[in-house]
Amino acid sequence: MSEVRTRFAPSPTGYIHVGGIRTALFAWLTARQAQGQFVLRLEDTDREREVTGAAQHIVDSLHALGLDYDEGPGIGGPYGPYVQSERLDIYRSWAEKLVASGRAYVDPYRTEEVQAFREQAKINKQPFLFRNHRPNQSFVWNGQQPLRFKSDPKDYQWHDIVMGDLKSSPEVIDDFVLMKADGFPTYNFAHIVDDYEMHITHVMRGQEFLASVPKYLNLYEAFGIQPPQFATLPHILATEGNRKLSKRDGAKDILDYVRQGFLPDALISFIATLGWNDGSEQEIFSRTELINKFSLGKVQRSGAHFDERRLIWVNGTYIRQQSLPKLKEAVQNYWPKEATSYPDDYKEKVLGLVQERLKYLAELSDLSIFFFVDIPPDRSLIDNNKQLRELSDEELKQLLNAARDMLIESNFTVDDLNQRLNTLLDQLSQPPAILFSLIRIAATSVSASPGLADTLSVLGRERTLNRLNTWLNIL
Ligand code: GLU
């Protein structure tokens, strides 16, 4: 069997979101699983839609997620160049083959003329087909006129690895533009040439291209070449309903997720399951598992809902599984600035405590700030607490005083603190929801924190007692 070669062929027209990365990922997994090659090709033939910096952005996104490619812009390869705007001569020579075989013709019409054809078709209640208006006279193509494919409409049947057996009828095949007046090819034409020249064996792309496959099959046939295998990926839908995921629904730049502290492996696992699972209940997959288990044949046909809450859950799971040294390295840029002056081992202890609650790394600052800064007491923390707000200031003060007296005696190890805190619960006959919440608020000035004894132990004796005193003064 020939070597598996897949490609990711984005157009540099903006940032990449989950949809783009999913296409890249499925192509990457297919190649890696088969020990084949994964190719990056930039499809920059639509110069009006091109966005400065987008090409770099694509490369950075793949790099950030560890989707390495074997051939592509910047690294080259045997079938380069891998940027379509650098391949214009190649498209031109392929176009000339079609001109020579009578399968392409110069489009002689002005926009208004085409518009008139369209309107006439509408009046006749017929679909507009360019092939009904092929010019009688043929013009010599000089590379600067639009060139159209002379289609040969017919029935097609083909197999799509994801969508199954498909068929189409002749009406969907029309004469489409191959080369534009600016000397650039259309996507419809260029990708066929490139996939062939680059020996691509499997084409994975979004569902928006499915309707065009019959045209492509017609063009493959005109060239006398074999199409690759197609795997059409289902749409990614908004969290609710049947709308395609859009920027409005949070289809954000994948690098934004990376910057917020979503771990590459968590993103990969989450994105892989947008439309694929291995048939079991498993929801989280390591990269190696994905390479071993992924199968295009198990990609679902119907749209896959994008649920950011699930991504957050997956990421939190990954963060909890990280070893502390690794996590420490990953969070380097996420500490609150006040942490700078603190020793490493203190930060490591803090991290060990908040790891449990961290869903993405950018939360570290908010979750850990009270370990580094004395936050001024804020009465609303009491008022917003259902149980504490029922107590008078006098009662609160009594409880806090008792807590302070107990803490003075502690050596601030977690065990000792736990023991004393529990004894105090008994002595004061208070539920934890009251006593521990009060101590927590007084020691941290936030409403939620890691386990109380752990938190106090890391904060240490002096800091804890000072903070309790400050609260006692305002009550
Ligand atoms: N350049 C196309 C796009 O970005 C790629 C489609 C394909 O993979 O063939 O949408």
Side-chain angles (χ1 to χ4, degrees):
M1 223 186 88
S2 67
E3 187 189 41
V4 168
R5 290 176 56 84
T6 64
R7 53 41 165 206
F8 178 46
S11 301
T13 51
Y15 60 73
I16 307 202
H17 57 75
V18 285
I21 289 293
R22 187 190 58 174
T23 306
L25 175 62
F26 286 9
W28 182 83
L29 287 171
T30 303
R32 292 291 168 261
Q33 184 174 72
Q35 287 163 4
Q37 307 288 309
F38 175 58
V39 177
L40 173 64
R41 178 174 78 226
L42 288 179
E43 303 206 322
D44 60 343
T45 57
D46 192 343
R47 291 187 296 168
E48 275 163 28
R49 288 180 58 226
E50 189 157 340
V51 171
T52 322
Q56 188 57 43
H57 192 103
I58 290 166
V59 168
D60 292 345
S61 302
L62 293 175
H63 185 73
L65 295 187
L67 300 178
D68 56 322
Y69 42 93
D70 307 296
E71 297 165 28
I75 59 172
Y79 309 111
Y82 294 90
V83 179
Q84 287 188 327
S85 60
E86 294 168 19
R87 301 172 59 81
L88 300 184
D89 290 347
I90 299 174
Y91 307 124
R92 193 178 164 133
S93 74
W94 277 71
E96 272 158 3
K97 285 191 217 175
L98 289 177
V99 173
S101 63
R103 294 302 305 273
Y105 61 92
V106 173
D107 175 349
Y109 301 115
R110 283 174 292 122
T111 323
E112 308 85 75
E113 289 173 290
V114 178
Q115 195 48 34
F117 295 152
R118 248 179 233 288
E119 270 153 33
Q120 193 54 51
K122 214 167 165 184
I123 293 166
N124 300 345
K125 294 196 164 51
Q126 277 171 344
F128 168 70
L129 286 169
F130 208 95
R131 58 177 151 86
N132 291 337
H133 303 278
R134 285 180 187 154
N136 298 324
Q137 196 193 346
S138 68
F139 300 86
V140 178
W141 186 50
N142 64 14
Q144 262 127 50
Q145 310 114 306
L147 189 71
R148 270 186 196 268
F149 176 48
K150 190 172 175 188
S151 63
D152 176 18
K154 53 172 73 166
D155 288 324
Y156 278 109
Q157 290 191 355
W158 75 100
H159 182 76
D160 183 292
I161 305 175
V162 175
M163 298 293 166
D165 290 326
L166 300 171
K167 57 183 180 194
S168 67
S169 49
E171 308 84 75
V172 299
I173 297 180
D174 194 12
D175 293 0
F176 58 92
V177 175
L178 303 165
M179 296 289 287
K180 297 175 280 184
D182 62 3
F184 277 66
T186 56
Y187 163 76
N188 290 338
F189 176 49
H191 85 275
I192 287 183
V193 170
D194 290 344
D195 286 341
Y196 180 76
E197 288 223 333
M198 296 177 183
H199 298 261
I200 300 302
T201 55
H202 298 70
V203 165
M204 283 122 223
R205 65 186 153 204
Q207 210 174 336
E208 59 275 23
F209 293 96
L210 191 57
S212 298
V213 171
K215 308 199 268 208
Y216 304 153
L217 292 173
N218 209 227
L219 184 56
Y220 282 110
E221 213 171 282
F223 278 129
I225 60 179
Q226 276 300 315
Q229 296 199 55
F230 298 121
T232 299
L233 311 183
H235 286 314
I236 298 182
L237 307 176
T239 313
E240 310 272 326
N242 270 326
R243 252 176 323 115
K244 259 177 77 178
L245 185 70
S246 72
K247 292 185 183 170
R248 248 181 322 137
D249 306 302
K252 60 183 175 194
D253 180 346
I254 202 77
L255 287 179
D256 276 346
Y257 282 115
V258 174
R259 280 187 285 267
Q260 271 186 285
F262 284 83
L263 306 179
D265 283 347
L267 280 164
I268 289 292
S269 173
F270 169 75
I271 293 172
T273 54
L274 288 174
W276 172 85
N277 69 67
D278 68 346
S280 74
E281 300 279 292
Q282 190 170 341
E283 287 202 67
I284 294 183
F285 297 87
S286 72
R287 222 172 263 257
T288 318
E289 271 179 312
L290 286 175
I291 293 175
N292 291 332
K293 294 184 173 176
F294 180 74
S295 143
L296 283 170
K298 285 211 170 114
V299 173
Q300 72 193 44
R301 292 179 193 177
S302 55
H305 288 276
F306 170 83
D307 184 352
E308 198 175 64
R309 285 164 312 181
R310 203 171 74 80
L311 170 59
I312 290 174
W313 170 76
V314 172
N315 200 56
T317 308
Y318 264 91
I319 289 178
R320 285 193 293 282
Q321 284 170 357
Q322 291 268 306
S323 71
L324 205 49
K326 264 198 146 160
L327 187 61
K328 206 168 130 195
E329 220 178 284
V331 299
Q332 272 181 43
N333 298 322
Y334 295 93
W335 289 107
K337 61 180 187 317
E338 291 82 356
T340 319
S341 54
Y342 282 80
D344 244 30
D345 59 336
Y346 181 75
K347 288 202 278 192
E348 190 167 315
K349 279 189 209 149
V350 172
L351 188 58
L353 290 191
V354 298
Q355 176 170 20
E356 204 46 40
R357 308 182 57 227
L358 208 52
K359 294 185 294 303
Y360 50 93
L361 305 183
E363 286 186 320
L364 179 63
S365 184
D366 278 356
L367 289 182
S368 71
I369 184 74
F370 65 84
F371 284 105
F372 305 102
V373 181
D374 294 325
I375 303 173
D378 176 358
R379 178 83 221 193
S380 68
L381 286 166
I382 305 271
D383 299 337
N384 291 336
N385 182 297
K386 271 201 204 103
Q387 268 113 346
L388 294 179
R389 70 172 169 228
E390 300 299 325
L391 302 185
S392 69
D393 274 15
E394 217 26 64
E395 287 168 306
L396 291 170
K397 250 182 153 147
Q398 266 177 22
L399 294 179
L400 207 49
N401 258 318
R404 185 190 51 186
D405 293 346
M406 169 283 283
L407 287 169
I408 289 175
E409 303 289 317
S410 172
N411 63 8
F412 273 72
T413 58
V414 177
D415 282 348
D416 186 67
L417 284 164
N418 265 328
Q419 214 170 48
R420 287 175 194 271
L421 284 166
N422 287 326
T423 313
L424 196 65
L425 280 185
D426 291 345
Q427 281 173 2
L428 302 174
S429 351
Q430 289 292 340
I434 289 187
L435 186 65
F436 289 0
S437 299
L438 179 62
I439 300 174
R440 182 191 309 281
I441 286 174
T444 64
S445 285
V446 296
S447 56
S449 77
L452 185 56
D454 296 291
T455 302
L456 299 183
S457 172
V458 171
L459 282 171
R461 175 193 190 81
E462 194 187 325
R463 193 155 222 173
T464 304
L465 292 173
N466 283 343
R467 290 180 179 184
L468 261 54
N469 287 332
T470 311
W471 271 85
L472 279 165
N473 286 334
I474 72 140
L475 286 172

PDB file of all heavy atoms in Angstrom, residues 210-232:
ATOM      1  N   LEU A 210     -18.723  19.720   0.611  1.00  0.00           N
ATOM      2  CA  LEU A 210     -19.315  18.466   0.132  1.00  0.00           C
ATOM      3  C   LEU A 210     -20.088  18.644  -1.175  1.00  0.00           C
ATOM      4  O   LEU A 210     -19.963  17.844  -2.105  1.00  0.00           O
ATOM      5  CB  LEU A 210     -20.226  17.879   1.223  1.00  0.00           C
ATOM      6  CG  LEU A 210     -20.711  16.458   1.007  1.00  0.00           C
ATOM      7  CD1 LEU A 210     -19.542  15.498   0.831  1.00  0.00           C
ATOM      8  CD2 LEU A 210     -21.581  16.000   2.179  1.00  0.00           C
ATOM      9  N   ALA A 211     -20.852  19.740  -1.255  1.00  0.00           N
ATOM     10  CA  ALA A 211     -21.683  19.955  -2.443  1.00  0.00           C
ATOM     11  C   ALA A 211     -20.834  20.139  -3.701  1.00  0.00           C
ATOM     12  O   ALA A 211     -21.316  19.950  -4.822  1.00  0.00           O
ATOM     13  CB  ALA A 211     -22.569  21.183  -2.234  1.00  0.00           C
ATOM     14  N   SER A 212     -19.585  20.484  -3.528  1.00  0.00           N
ATOM     15  CA  SER A 212     -18.738  20.730  -4.703  1.00  0.00           C
ATOM     16  C   SER A 212     -18.017  19.481  -5.199  1.00  0.00           C
ATOM     17  O   SER A 212     -17.390  19.511  -6.267  1.00  0.00           O
ATOM     18  CB  SER A 212     -17.681  21.790  -4.369  1.00  0.00           C
ATOM     19  OG  SER A 212     -18.301  22.999  -4.028  1.00  0.00           O
ATOM     20  N   VAL A 213     -18.094  18.405  -4.429  1.00  0.00           N
ATOM     21  CA  VAL A 213     -17.323  17.214  -4.806  1.00  0.00           C
ATOM     22  C   VAL A 213     -17.640  16.718  -6.233  1.00  0.00           C
ATOM     23  O   VAL A 213     -16.719  16.385  -6.983  1.00  0.00           O
ATOM     24  CB  VAL A 213     -17.467  16.093  -3.738  1.00  0.00           C
ATOM     25  CG1 VAL A 213     -16.860  14.790  -4.212  1.00  0.00           C
ATOM     26  CG2 VAL A 213     -16.811  16.543  -2.439  1.00  0.00           C
ATOM     27  N   PRO A 214     -18.933  16.692  -6.668  1.00  0.00           N
ATOM     28  CA  PRO A 214     -19.181  16.246  -8.049  1.00  0.00           C
ATOM     29  C   PRO A 214     -18.397  17.047  -9.099  1.00  0.00           C
ATOM     30  O   PRO A 214     -17.869  16.481 -10.060  1.00  0.00           O
ATOM     31  CB  PRO A 214     -20.694  16.448  -8.214  1.00  0.00           C
ATOM     32  CG  PRO A 214     -21.239  16.377  -6.818  1.00  0.00           C
ATOM     33  CD  PRO A 214     -20.182  16.958  -5.926  1.00  0.00           C
ATOM     34  N   LYS A 215     -18.300  18.359  -8.889  1.00  0.00           N
ATOM     35  CA  LYS A 215     -17.507  19.175  -9.826  1.00  0.00           C
ATOM     36  C   LYS A 215     -16.059  18.727  -9.828  1.00  0.00           C
ATOM     37  O   LYS A 215     -15.401  18.685 -10.858  1.00  0.00           O
ATOM     38  CB  LYS A 215     -17.432  20.656  -9.402  1.00  0.00           C
ATOM     39  CG  LYS A 215     -18.685  21.365  -9.105  1.00  0.00           C
ATOM     40  CD  LYS A 215     -18.443  22.875  -9.177  1.00  0.00           C
ATOM     41  CE  LYS A 215     -18.072  23.425  -7.820  1.00  0.00           C
ATOM     42  NZ  LYS A 215     -18.467  24.847  -7.666  1.00  0.00           N
ATOM     43  N   TYR A 216     -15.567  18.454  -8.607  1.00  0.00           N
ATOM     44  CA  TYR A 216     -14.165  18.038  -8.513  1.00  0.00           C
ATOM     45  C   TYR A 216     -13.964  16.704  -9.229  1.00  0.00           C
ATOM     46  O   TYR A 216     -12.985  16.520  -9.946  1.00  0.00           O
ATOM     47  CB  TYR A 216     -13.711  17.918  -7.048  1.00  0.00           C
ATOM     48  CG  TYR A 216     -13.904  19.170  -6.224  1.00  0.00           C
ATOM     49  CD1 TYR A 216     -14.094  19.124  -4.845  1.00  0.00           C
ATOM     50  CD2 TYR A 216     -13.895  20.436  -6.826  1.00  0.00           C
ATOM     51  CE1 TYR A 216     -14.274  20.267  -4.090  1.00  0.00           C
ATOM     52  CE2 TYR A 216     -14.084  21.584  -6.074  1.00  0.00           C
ATOM     53  CZ  TYR A 216     -14.280  21.497  -4.705  1.00  0.00           C
ATOM     54  OH  TYR A 216     -14.464  22.619  -3.959  1.00  0.00           O
ATOM     55  N   LEU A 217     -14.925  15.805  -9.031  1.00  0.00           N
ATOM     56  CA  LEU A 217     -14.797  14.485  -9.674  1.00  0.00           C
ATOM     57  C   LEU A 217     -14.748  14.654 -11.193  1.00  0.00           C
ATOM     58  O   LEU A 217     -13.995  13.966 -11.892  1.00  0.00           O
ATOM     59  CB  LEU A 217     -15.971  13.590  -9.273  1.00  0.00           C
ATOM     60  CG  LEU A 217     -15.993  13.179  -7.796  1.00  0.00           C
ATOM     61  CD1 LEU A 217     -17.289  12.430  -7.463  1.00  0.00           C
ATOM     62  CD2 LEU A 217     -14.774  12.316  -7.447  1.00  0.00           C
ATOM     63  N   ASN A 218     -15.543  15.603 -11.664  1.00  0.00           N
ATOM     64  CA  ASN A 218     -15.571  15.865 -13.098  1.00  0.00           C
ATOM     65  C   ASN A 218     -14.215  16.384 -13.592  1.00  0.00           C
ATOM     66  O   ASN A 218     -13.742  16.019 -14.665  1.00  0.00           O
ATOM     67  CB  ASN A 218     -16.680  16.885 -13.380  1.00  0.00           C
ATOM     68  CG  ASN A 218     -17.276  16.729 -14.761  1.00  0.00           C
ATOM     69  OD1 ASN A 218     -17.447  17.695 -15.492  1.00  0.00           O
ATOM     70  ND2 ASN A 218     -17.598  15.505 -15.142  1.00  0.00           N
ATOM     71  N   LEU A 219     -13.598  17.200 -12.770  1.00  0.00           N
ATOM     72  CA  LEU A 219     -12.295  17.745 -13.159  1.00  0.00           C
ATOM     73  C   LEU A 219     -11.199  16.679 -13.071  1.00  0.00           C
ATOM     74  O   LEU A 219     -10.334  16.593 -13.952  1.00  0.00           O
ATOM     75  CB  LEU A 219     -11.958  18.958 -12.276  1.00  0.00           C
ATOM     76  CG  LEU A 219     -10.671  19.723 -12.608  1.00  0.00           C
ATOM     77  CD1 LEU A 219     -10.654  20.199 -14.069  1.00  0.00           C
ATOM     78  CD2 LEU A 219     -10.502  20.930 -11.686  1.00  0.00           C
ATOM     79  N   TYR A 220     -11.255  15.848 -12.022  1.00  0.00           N
ATOM     80  CA  TYR A 220     -10.287  14.743 -11.946  1.00  0.00           C
ATOM     81  C   TYR A 220     -10.360  13.904 -13.222  1.00  0.00           C
ATOM     82  O   TYR A 220      -9.359  13.521 -13.808  1.00  0.00           O
ATOM     83  CB  TYR A 220     -10.583  13.829 -10.741  1.00  0.00           C
ATOM     84  CG  TYR A 220     -10.122  14.382  -9.410  1.00  0.00           C
ATOM     85  CD1 TYR A 220     -11.026  14.814  -8.453  1.00  0.00           C
ATOM     86  CD2 TYR A 220      -8.759  14.455  -9.114  1.00  0.00           C
ATOM     87  CE1 TYR A 220     -10.599  15.312  -7.228  1.00  0.00           C
ATOM     88  CE2 TYR A 220      -8.319  14.949  -7.892  1.00  0.00           C
ATOM     89  CZ  TYR A 220      -9.248  15.371  -6.951  1.00  0.00           C
ATOM     90  OH  TYR A 220      -8.822  15.866  -5.764  1.00  0.00           O
ATOM     91  N   GLU A 221     -11.607  13.659 -13.632  1.00  0.00           N
ATOM     92  CA  GLU A 221     -11.802  12.825 -14.809  1.00  0.00           C
ATOM     93  C   GLU A 221     -11.235  13.495 -16.061  1.00  0.00           C
ATOM     94  O   GLU A 221     -10.603  12.845 -16.886  1.00  0.00           O
ATOM     95  CB  GLU A 221     -13.301  12.601 -14.967  1.00  0.00           C
ATOM     96  CG  GLU A 221     -13.666  11.282 -15.546  1.00  0.00           C
ATOM     97  CD  GLU A 221     -15.178  11.073 -15.460  1.00  0.00           C
ATOM     98  OE1 GLU A 221     -15.662  10.744 -14.356  1.00  0.00           O
ATOM     99  OE2 GLU A 221     -15.866  11.273 -16.477  1.00  0.00           O
ATOM    100  N   ALA A 222     -11.460  14.807 -16.159  1.00  0.00           N
ATOM    101  CA  ALA A 222     -10.945  15.529 -17.323  1.00  0.00           C
ATOM    102  C   ALA A 222      -9.425  15.440 -17.398  1.00  0.00           C
ATOM    103  O   ALA A 222      -8.836  15.411 -18.470  1.00  0.00           O
ATOM    104  CB  ALA A 222     -11.385  16.987 -17.270  1.00  0.00           C
ATOM    105  N   PHE A 223      -8.784  15.403 -16.230  1.00  0.00           N
ATOM    106  CA  PHE A 223      -7.328  15.280 -16.194  1.00  0.00           C
ATOM    107  C   PHE A 223      -6.879  13.827 -16.328  1.00  0.00           C
ATOM    108  O   PHE A 223      -5.694  13.552 -16.507  1.00  0.00           O
ATOM    109  CB  PHE A 223      -6.774  15.811 -14.864  1.00  0.00           C
ATOM    110  CG  PHE A 223      -6.614  17.306 -14.827  1.00  0.00           C
ATOM    111  CD1 PHE A 223      -7.150  18.055 -13.774  1.00  0.00           C
ATOM    112  CD2 PHE A 223      -5.908  17.979 -15.820  1.00  0.00           C
ATOM    113  CE1 PHE A 223      -6.981  19.430 -13.722  1.00  0.00           C
ATOM    114  CE2 PHE A 223      -5.739  19.356 -15.772  1.00  0.00           C
ATOM    115  CZ  PHE A 223      -6.281  20.081 -14.720  1.00  0.00           C
ATOM    116  N   GLY A 224      -7.821  12.934 -16.174  1.00  0.00           N
ATOM    117  CA  GLY A 224      -7.455  11.508 -16.215  1.00  0.00           C
ATOM    118  C   GLY A 224      -6.667  11.078 -14.987  1.00  0.00           C
ATOM    119  O   GLY A 224      -5.789  10.226 -15.075  1.00  0.00           O
ATOM    120  N   ILE A 225      -6.959  11.710 -13.835  1.00  0.00           N
ATOM    121  CA  ILE A 225      -6.243  11.307 -12.618  1.00  0.00           C
ATOM    122  C   ILE A 225      -7.221  10.774 -11.570  1.00  0.00           C
ATOM    123  O   ILE A 225      -8.403  11.100 -11.584  1.00  0.00           O
ATOM    124  CB  ILE A 225      -5.411  12.470 -12.017  1.00  0.00           C
ATOM    125  CG1 ILE A 225      -6.311  13.660 -11.655  1.00  0.00           C
ATOM    126  CG2 ILE A 225      -4.301  12.878 -12.977  1.00  0.00           C
ATOM    127  CD1 ILE A 225      -5.573  14.839 -11.035  1.00  0.00           C
ATOM    128  N   GLN A 226      -6.673   9.960 -10.673  1.00  0.00           N
ATOM    129  CA  GLN A 226      -7.469   9.356  -9.606  1.00  0.00           C
ATOM    130  C   GLN A 226      -7.673  10.350  -8.471  1.00  0.00           C
ATOM    131  O   GLN A 226      -6.712  10.922  -7.996  1.00  0.00           O
ATOM    132  CB  GLN A 226      -6.703   8.157  -9.025  1.00  0.00           C
ATOM    133  CG  GLN A 226      -6.878   6.867  -9.792  1.00  0.00           C
ATOM    134  CD  GLN A 226      -8.337   6.439  -9.833  1.00  0.00           C
ATOM    135  OE1 GLN A 226      -9.019   6.484  -8.809  1.00  0.00           O
ATOM    136  NE2 GLN A 226      -8.809   6.065 -11.017  1.00  0.00           N
ATOM    137  N   PRO A 227      -8.900  10.531  -8.019  1.00  0.00           N
ATOM    138  CA  PRO A 227      -9.072  11.369  -6.828  1.00  0.00           C
ATOM    139  C   PRO A 227      -8.522  10.670  -5.582  1.00  0.00           C
ATOM    140  O   PRO A 227      -8.453   9.447  -5.546  1.00  0.00           O
ATOM    141  CB  PRO A 227     -10.585  11.546  -6.715  1.00  0.00           C
ATOM    142  CG  PRO A 227     -11.202  10.594  -7.643  1.00  0.00           C
ATOM    143  CD  PRO A 227     -10.162  10.038  -8.561  1.00  0.00           C
ATOM    144  N   PRO A 228      -8.146  11.467  -4.590  1.00  0.00           N
ATOM    145  CA  PRO A 228      -7.748  10.862  -3.311  1.00  0.00           C
ATOM    146  C   PRO A 228      -8.992  10.351  -2.598  1.00  0.00           C
ATOM    147  O   PRO A 228     -10.110  10.478  -3.103  1.00  0.00           O
ATOM    148  CB  PRO A 228      -7.141  12.038  -2.547  1.00  0.00           C
ATOM    149  CG  PRO A 228      -7.770  13.254  -3.134  1.00  0.00           C
ATOM    150  CD  PRO A 228      -8.115  12.923  -4.559  1.00  0.00           C
ATOM    151  N   GLN A 229      -8.827   9.803  -1.402  1.00  0.00           N
ATOM    152  CA  GLN A 229     -10.002   9.430  -0.608  1.00  0.00           C
ATOM    153  C   GLN A 229     -10.516  10.680   0.101  1.00  0.00           C
ATOM    154  O   GLN A 229      -9.728  11.489   0.579  1.00  0.00           O
ATOM    155  CB  GLN A 229      -9.605   8.399   0.429  1.00  0.00           C
ATOM    156  CG  GLN A 229      -9.127   7.114  -0.214  1.00  0.00           C
ATOM    157  CD  GLN A 229      -9.192   5.999   0.800  1.00  0.00           C
ATOM    158  OE1 GLN A 229     -10.227   5.719   1.395  1.00  0.00           O
ATOM    159  NE2 GLN A 229      -8.047   5.368   1.018  1.00  0.00           N
ATOM    160  N   PHE A 230     -11.820  10.795   0.167  1.00  0.00           N
ATOM    161  CA  PHE A 230     -12.404  11.964   0.824  1.00  0.00           C
ATOM    162  C   PHE A 230     -12.955  11.581   2.195  1.00  0.00           C
ATOM    163  O   PHE A 230     -13.576  10.532   2.353  1.00  0.00           O
ATOM    164  CB  PHE A 230     -13.560  12.529  -0.003  1.00  0.00           C
ATOM    165  CG  PHE A 230     -13.146  13.001  -1.370  1.00  0.00           C
ATOM    166  CD1 PHE A 230     -13.714  12.453  -2.516  1.00  0.00           C
ATOM    167  CD2 PHE A 230     -12.191  14.001  -1.514  1.00  0.00           C
ATOM    168  CE1 PHE A 230     -13.332  12.889  -3.785  1.00  0.00           C
ATOM    169  CE2 PHE A 230     -11.803  14.444  -2.780  1.00  0.00           C
ATOM    170  CZ  PHE A 230     -12.375  13.880  -3.913  1.00  0.00           C
ATOM    171  N   ALA A 231     -12.718  12.474   3.147  1.00  0.00           N
ATOM    172  CA  ALA A 231     -13.331  12.318   4.472  1.00  0.00           C
ATOM    173  C   ALA A 231     -13.884  13.686   4.839  1.00  0.00           C
ATOM    174  O   ALA A 231     -13.134  14.615   5.132  1.00  0.00           O
ATOM    175  CB  ALA A 231     -12.306  11.859   5.489  1.00  0.00           C
ATOM    176  N   THR A 232     -15.204  13.794   4.748  1.00  0.00           N
ATOM    177  CA  THR A 232     -15.839  15.086   4.997  1.00  0.00           C
ATOM    178  C   THR A 232     -16.248  15.185   6.457  1.00  0.00           C
ATOM    179  O   THR A 232     -16.979  14.334   6.967  1.00  0.00           O
ATOM    180  CB  THR A 232     -17.065  15.236   4.077  1.00  0.00           C
ATOM    181  OG1 THR A 232     -16.587  15.183   2.727  1.00  0.00           O
ATOM    182  CG2 THR A 232     -17.766  16.555   4.320  1.00  0.00           C
TER     183      THR A 232
END
